[in-house]
Amino acid sequence: MGIILFLIDTSASMAQKTYLGTSYLDAAKAAVETFMKYRMRDPASRSDRYMLVTFDEPPYAVKSGWKENHGTFVAELKALQATSLSNFSVSVRETFKLLNIHRLHTGIENYGQGRNPFYLEPAVVISISDGHLMTNSDGIDTELLLQAGQHTEGSELTKEIYRWDQRLFSVVLRLPGWGGPGNNPKDLLPSEQSLAKLSEMTGGKSYVVSSQRSINQCMESLTQKLHSGVVVHFQKMPISLAAPKLQAQIAQTGRASPVLMETEQADLTKMETARMSSSTHLNHLKTSDTGRDTPPPPFYNQQQPKPTWDDTKKMIYVKIHPKSNSGIGHWPIPESFWPDVSMQTMIPRDAHPVVWFDMTEVNPLLVENFPFDKYELEPSLLTQHILEKRNYSTCWQVYVENSSSTGGLQYPFGYLKASSNLSTVNLFIMPYNYPKLIPLIDELIHVHMRPSSSWRAEFADYLTSLPCYYIQVSAYHVGHF
């Protein structure tokens, strides 16, 4: 799997007693041991590296590094005491800082040269806390302070503090002090909303548990989410860019694709609904009986929109070579800018690449024995939407904005396609601008690898559309084909 880092709340509030007669910190320690017991059942756990970090001031927060043995980890876990502050902001920043320092030495980020899903160092951060108000030496924090550019290593090149193969899962303990196990809460406290938001931003999830049984179920669920992969932000192509495709299709065939017509109508309906909802919300605030703004519903509607099928962050699973323990792949996801030798500084990238998909149904292009990459998507509303169409013979092309010299969403680098048994959805990553390259490769096969002068001219024209970091990998695969 990679690195599994436990971030344990060791603030004084973790010393409070539960209905079991033990403290919150004891419950957190038991949760870690339960997780490790479940995890050992998986043969892939042999490559796991554990870290233990607390809420103590750095550098004393690191109790066990990933190079320590299992005995040291367990001994440090049992020795934890609830004596620090609830400085979650600093603890999270230091946690991701520890993970990212090693990445800078290995060069795994590959800045400015495309984003290779198979260059990964998967890490899962599991935070266990009581979810109380976050405190520091200056007072109380009402929200997490994790802005980019706070002098952390790598902040000049990546906007967020986390990376696309790092996920945060937060576990909030709400164990009652007497009586018995409580019911799972429906509402989140302000501090818990911040934890939930950050977890969702990284591609993880937040859990609120109120009994020993729910803690065990939570730990078992977490062990099933340990996959090797990277998180990608999928978004549907907007109307302003899909409309020209619609007009071109009408000009060529005399009719529009039902999928495009459906998409355009759905977008218009969504925009109108959002406008009416916003107006209703403002009117409600103005006419509130209490004379004060009504607190917004927890989490999704407050700071981050509820995930939908046309705008979602989900993981793509990367296959790991059993011997080398490294990812398997050939082609990168393009950068969201066109590299140029005149650039003075590197443009910082988003932690999760934004991949736009066009719902225009096209036929998939493949050439036998020519390399391509196939990644299964984590089940989500997007995969459900694609599978419900029950069409595995066509695909949706994917783009990265501003990856070409002309900007915009110009050339596709792959496509989304349902599997033949309609059980999964896969992201196929191909050479950049593959609709132009694949026919050229196919033509080259038919002429027995003896290209004509016109073929050479078309291939040279194709090369001009490529970002510079594609030249070497394209020349290698075409030359070895």
Side-chain angles (χ1 to χ4, degrees):
M1 158 59 197
I3 299 173
I4 302 175
L5 188 151
F6 286 97
L7 178 59
I8 307 299
D9 184 353
T10 52
S11 62
S13 59
M14 291 289 286
Q16 61 184 312
K17 297 296 182 180
T18 71
Y19 72 95
L20 297 172
T22 57
S23 67
Y24 268 49
L25 184 56
D26 293 332
K29 295 178 183 179
V32 174
E33 294 175 348
T34 300
F35 175 92
M36 298 176 69
K37 180 183 67 175
Y38 285 131
R39 178 59 180 165
M40 289 177 63
R41 300 174 182 175
D42 190 342
S45 64
R46 288 176 293 183
S47 60
D48 293 344
R49 291 175 289 170
Y50 286 98
M51 288 188 66
L52 181 62
V53 181
T54 67
F55 279 23
D56 291 337
E57 290 293 329
Y60 307 106
V62 181
K63 303 301 182 182
S64 178
W66 59 63
K67 294 185 179 180
E68 305 290 349
N69 56 40
H70 179 77
T72 301
F73 179 91
V74 174
E76 292 292 340
L77 176 67
K78 292 181 178 180
L80 295 182
Q81 296 182 359
T83 57
S84 58
L85 298 174
S86 298
N87 200 346
F88 196 87
S89 299
V90 172
S91 300
V92 170
R93 282 202 302 268
E94 289 298 317
T95 294
F96 284 109
K97 176 182 176 181
L98 288 171
L99 296 174
N100 295 333
I101 287 178
H102 183 256
R103 301 170 68 92
L104 293 176
H105 290 290
T106 60
I108 198 173
E109 301 290 0
N110 216 35
Y111 288 111
Q113 303 180 60
R115 310 185 65 160
N116 296 302
F118 46 93
Y119 286 177
L120 76 167
E121 189 176 69
V124 170
V125 178
I126 301 176
S127 165
I128 305 179
S129 68
D130 57 11
H132 285 185
L133 291 175
M134 293 167 279
T135 59
N136 56 39
S137 57
D138 298 325
I140 297 176
D141 291 332
T142 57
E143 61 182 7
L144 290 175
L145 303 176
L146 300 173
Q147 295 88 349
Q150 294 191 355
H151 307 292
T152 58
E153 285 72 8
S155 60
E156 306 88 352
L157 301 176
T158 303
K159 298 177 183 178
E160 294 84 4
I161 63 172
Y162 50 86
R163 303 295 182 260
W164 67 338
D165 54 358
Q166 299 170 351
R167 293 177 295 161
L168 170 66
F169 293 91
S170 58
V171 180
V172 178
L173 304 177
R174 275 209 201 172
L175 303 174
W178 61 277
N183 297 322
N184 289 329
K186 297 181 180 179
D187 297 333
L188 297 179
L189 299 175
S191 57
E192 295 170 354
Q193 291 179 12
S194 298
L195 294 178
K197 178 186 176 183
L198 178 60
S199 300
E200 293 286 342
M201 288 171 60
T202 64
K205 187 177 181 181
S206 181
Y207 298 85
V208 179
V209 295
S210 57
S211 66
Q212 185 61 51
R213 180 182 179 183
S214 59
I215 292 177
N216 295 338
Q217 292 174 342
C218 175
M219 293 299 107
E220 185 175 12
S221 174
L222 286 176
T223 59
Q224 298 172 1
K225 299 183 181 299
L226 302 183
H227 302 285
S228 294
V230 295
V231 177
V232 176
H233 188 178
F234 292 97
Q235 288 189 348
K236 181 172 66 65
M237 184 179 291
I239 296 177
S240 59
L241 296 175
K245 295 178 177 292
L246 180 62
Q247 296 172 0
Q249 187 178 45
I250 294 175
Q252 292 178 2
T253 64
R255 63 185 182 87
S257 166
V259 174
L260 273 178
M261 294 295 289
E262 172 192 342
T263 304
E264 187 166 348
Q265 183 60 40
D267 280 350
L268 293 174
T269 304
K270 183 183 297 184
M271 293 169 62
E272 181 64 19
T273 302
R275 184 189 65 79
M276 294 178 63
S277 175
S278 176
S279 176
T280 303
H281 180 64
L282 289 175
N283 291 335
H284 174 68
L285 293 179
K286 291 178 182 178
T287 59
S288 175
D289 295 335
T290 62
R292 296 178 299 175
D293 290 355
T294 304
F299 185 48
Y300 282 127
N301 292 340
Q302 181 182 13
Q303 296 179 354
Q304 189 174 356
K306 187 174 182 179
T308 58
W309 70 267
D310 56 354
D311 186 355
T312 182
K313 288 183 179 181
K314 287 298 176 181
M315 174 176 281
I316 59 173
Y317 301 137
V318 178
K319 294 181 180 179
I320 303 298
H321 195 282
K323 294 184 178 179
S324 63
N325 199 33
S326 59
I328 301 175
H330 305 88
W331 304 101
I333 295 175
E335 300 280 1
S336 57
F337 62 91
W338 180 266
D340 191 277
V341 294
S342 62
M343 295 174 58
Q344 298 296 321
T345 58
M346 186 73 68
I347 298 177
R349 61 166 56 154
D350 295 315
H352 302 143
V354 179
V355 173
W356 298 86
F357 58 88
D358 181 6
M359 291 183 63
T360 307
E361 295 181 351
V362 299
N363 293 323
L365 293 177
L366 291 174
V367 175
E368 186 178 1
N369 297 327
F370 192 75
F372 64 90
D373 299 329
K374 178 180 176 182
Y375 302 100
E376 179 184 343
L377 268 67
E378 178 184 4
S380 63
L381 295 176
L382 174 59
T383 60
Q384 178 183 347
H385 181 81
I386 295 176
L387 294 176
E388 284 177 351
K389 294 183 176 296
R390 305 193 66 80
N391 184 358
Y392 59 84
S393 60
T394 59
C395 62
W396 295 351
Q397 292 180 326
V398 291
Y399 303 76
V400 169
E401 190 173 14
N402 297 326
S403 59
S404 66
S405 59
T406 56
L409 302 174
Q410 189 70 25
Y411 301 117
F413 69 92
Y415 51 82
L416 292 172
K417 182 181 178 298
S419 60
S420 57
N421 58 5
L422 296 176
S423 62
T424 60
V425 175
N426 300 304
L427 171 65
F428 287 77
I429 297 184
M430 308 287 291
Y432 192 75
N433 194 11
Y434 75 93
K436 186 167 185 177
L437 176 63
I438 297 301
L440 290 174
I441 297 297
D442 189 56
E443 179 183 345
L444 190 62
I445 296 174
H446 285 83
V447 298
H448 304 290
M449 309 302 289
R450 297 177 180 177
S452 61
S453 57
S454 61
W455 187 95
R456 294 178 183 274
E458 289 189 38
F459 186 71
D461 182 63
Y462 162 75
L463 293 178
T464 60
S465 69
L466 295 183
C468 59
Y469 49 85
Y470 269 95
I471 299 296
Q472 183 176 0
V473 64
S474 298
Y476 175 82
H477 291 303
V478 172
H480 288 74
F481 176 65

